[in-house]
Amino acid sequence: MSRNGPLEGILIADFTQLAQGPFATMILGDMGAEIVKIEPPDGDWMRNFALGGIYAGGETISYMCFNRNKRSIGIDLKSKEGLELVRRLCDKADVVIENFRPGVMKRLGIDYETLKKTNPDIIVVSSSGYGSSGPYVTRPGQDLLAQAITGFPTVIGRKEDPPTPIAAGIADLTAGFHIVYGTLAALISRMNTGEGQTVEVNLMSSILTAQLDQFTAFLQNRIQPERSSAGIANPWTGAPYGLYKCSDGWIALAMNPLAEIGEVLDILEFKNLESKNEISMRDEYKRLIDAKTINWKVDDLLEKLLEKDLWCAPLQDYEAVSKDPQVLHNEMIVSIPHPTAGSLETLGIPVKFGGTPSKIRKHPPLFSEHADELAREYFGLNDSEISDYFAKGIISKPKKI
């Protein structure tokens, strides 16, 4: 039985940068796969971008949060020698994952058709902005761009608001999950058939899939949904769905019988209503509820609503979430020892395996931190060759601590 997760023994050559690819390979690494992160000579793009300008020990939080459980080596893929090195790795790998623009892997000679000649059961997973072909194939792909082009910002916020994007990288993260399950499915298929294959993921299709229910509703009548003026949280839903201000905070109410909400809040207009999703009067009913919840403390109202098993929850800020007893019980706040940051607090592993538990085995690597050991282990180089490749810049020297 594996001690490092269910994917122990799987070798993944990781050419990804930014968010969606590194997020996916981190998840696969959490599940025990060996992730060899191939970085360009100037490092993963995310090493030079810090969300909120936040750094830890000289490393950007945006890089650190997506790159645990990996080893890093910087290789110049523009050099003949560098390409030869990565081909050696790809010949040993179970999976290659990349998110270059379409056509780059073929131009480098490390595309699926080339790699399968020497590694017949290789799996090559590619992630792009809009797909490997089609009218947008040459366009740059990024999370906000994918949100915009699929209409997501048009259905968020109030009627009077401008289009409002989601603050989280929802397209990146959704695409990352698609990379993960595509990789796992291809590995299972290879177990059954003995054959590798290509897997393709793109941001545009991923973020559309995140709107599956909403877009299906639109396709039935082709009418753009209208956002609520009163703050109903979703343009397809009615009262009481939304956030409500209390005297000391906010509370969320989902699809609940309006009659029962009215009983708790003493709203006579709701007494004989059977609806739990009132569309036509949603703004008026939202304002009736607003006028009542402002007189309650969050905990008191939660207690009354939960007594009736109504769907409700407090709105928590990040500080409250970090101390939430269920979040802590689920081990979703963890601390990772790091050579320069000392200790990196981040989110834990959300999927739990009973027989092969996932572990955080490796900190997010410093740039090319594992160049020396990887050069020997997977590229077959000796001390003299490693020194020569360092000197020529074909392999990047490890960042000094």
Side-chain angles (χ1 to χ4, degrees):
M1 183 177 293
S2 172
R3 300 181 61 188
N4 285 329
L7 294 183
E8 187 173 53
I10 297 296
L11 172 61
I12 296 177
D14 177 12
F15 292 90
T16 66
Q17 297 190 64
L18 283 86
Q20 84 270 29
F23 177 56
T25 54
M26 183 187 76
I27 294 172
L28 295 164
D30 287 349
M31 291 192 285
E34 167 71 354
I35 310 295
V36 178
K37 184 176 178 69
I38 308 297
E39 300 192 52
D42 54 354
D44 183 332
W45 188 93
M46 208 65 118
R47 289 187 184 274
N48 299 302
F49 172 82
L51 194 70
I54 301 172
Y55 287 75
E59 298 288 323
T60 79
I61 290 300
S62 297
Y63 165 79
M64 298 256 272
C65 71
F66 291 123
N67 284 285
R68 67 185 178 219
N69 283 334
K70 305 176 186 182
R71 288 191 285 173
S72 166
I73 182 170
I75 297 180
D76 182 6
L77 297 183
K78 295 181 180 178
S79 69
K80 179 181 177 182
E81 298 92 336
L83 281 173
E84 175 56 33
L85 290 178
V86 299
R87 288 192 187 101
R88 295 183 200 179
L89 173 65
C90 292
D91 280 347
K92 300 175 181 178
D94 296 284
V95 183
V96 170
I97 302 181
E98 59 91 8
N99 64 345
F100 294 117
R101 287 198 186 187
V104 171
M105 290 290 278
K106 185 173 184 178
R107 187 167 68 247
L108 293 173
I110 49 177
D111 58 306
Y112 174 71
E113 294 299 327
T114 302
L115 293 178
K116 76 174 184 178
K117 294 175 182 177
T118 52
N119 187 355
D121 60 356
I122 188 72
I123 294 165
V124 176
V125 184
S126 301
S127 179
S128 61
Y130 304 102
S132 63
S133 61
Y136 296 167
V137 69
T138 61
R139 291 191 182 187
Q142 185 270 345
D143 191 283
L144 178 60
L145 312 184
Q147 287 194 46
I149 207 164
T150 60
F152 224 146
T154 69
V155 296
I156 299 169
R158 297 181 184 238
K159 184 177 180 179
E160 297 78 15
D161 292 341
T164 305
I166 294 177
I170 188 68
D172 281 325
L173 301 183
T174 306
F177 286 127
H178 289 170
I179 292 170
V180 170
Y181 80 63
T183 299
L184 298 179
L187 285 168
I188 293 171
S189 176
R190 191 178 69 180
M191 288 172 54
N192 295 330
T193 67
E195 297 179 355
Q197 62 180 298
T198 60
V199 179
E200 290 190 12
V201 172
N202 69 76
L203 291 175
M204 186 182 207
S205 296
S206 294
I207 195 65
L208 267 176
T209 302
Q211 303 173 73
L212 178 61
D213 187 11
Q214 292 78 10
F215 212 84
T216 301
F218 163 76
L219 291 174
Q220 306 316 300
N221 59 18
R222 300 283 173 164
I223 297 174
Q224 174 72 19
E226 187 174 89
R227 295 179 294 175
S228 161
S229 291
I232 294 290
N234 185 319
W236 286 270
T237 57
Y241 194 90
L243 294 173
Y244 295 87
K245 183 131 181 40
C246 297
S247 62
D248 61 347
W250 293 77
I251 193 168
L253 296 176
M255 291 76 66
N256 289 292
L258 282 166
E260 294 191 37
I261 294 292
E263 185 177 337
V264 172
L265 296 176
D266 192 27
I267 302 175
L268 297 179
E269 291 88 340
F270 293 177
K271 185 174 182 180
N272 297 315
L273 291 178
E274 296 182 359
S275 174
K276 60 176 65 174
N277 185 40
E278 173 55 45
I279 299 292
S280 62
M281 296 285 288
R282 66 181 183 178
D283 284 358
E284 291 84 351
Y285 288 173
K286 170 75 165 56
R287 294 186 177 102
L288 286 175
I289 300 172
D290 279 327
K292 294 291 185 176
T293 58
I294 193 64
N295 300 313
W296 287 76
K297 290 186 175 182
V298 170
D299 288 345
D300 293 340
L301 183 53
L302 277 175
E303 182 180 355
K304 290 293 185 182
L305 293 167
L306 290 173
E307 284 177 1
K308 290 182 168 291
D309 199 29
L310 295 173
W311 293 1
C312 60
L315 173 65
Q316 299 189 138
D317 62 15
Y318 277 15
E319 180 64 26
V321 174
S322 72
K323 297 175 181 177
D324 185 279
Q326 187 64 49
V327 171
L328 299 178
H329 175 80
N330 291 343
E331 299 178 328
M332 283 305 296
I333 306 292
V334 298
S335 182
I336 305 174
H338 189 272
T340 61
S343 180
L344 173 69
E345 278 199 296
T346 186
L347 295 180
I349 301 173
V351 180
K352 313 297 184 185
F353 295 92
T356 54
S358 300
K359 297 179 180 179
I360 299 176
R361 310 177 309 282
K362 301 180 179 73
H363 60 261
L366 303 176
F367 175 59
S368 209
E369 178 181 350
H370 305 96
D372 199 280
E373 63 190 61
L374 289 171
R376 291 182 175 83
E377 188 174 342
Y378 290 117
F379 304 105
L381 302 182
N382 57 38
D383 289 348
S384 176
E385 290 171 319
I386 293 171
S387 296
D388 182 51
Y389 279 17
F390 280 162
K392 293 178 178 177
I394 295 166
I395 297 178
S396 301
K397 291 181 179 180
K399 179 180 177 180
K400 292 182 179 180
I401 298 175

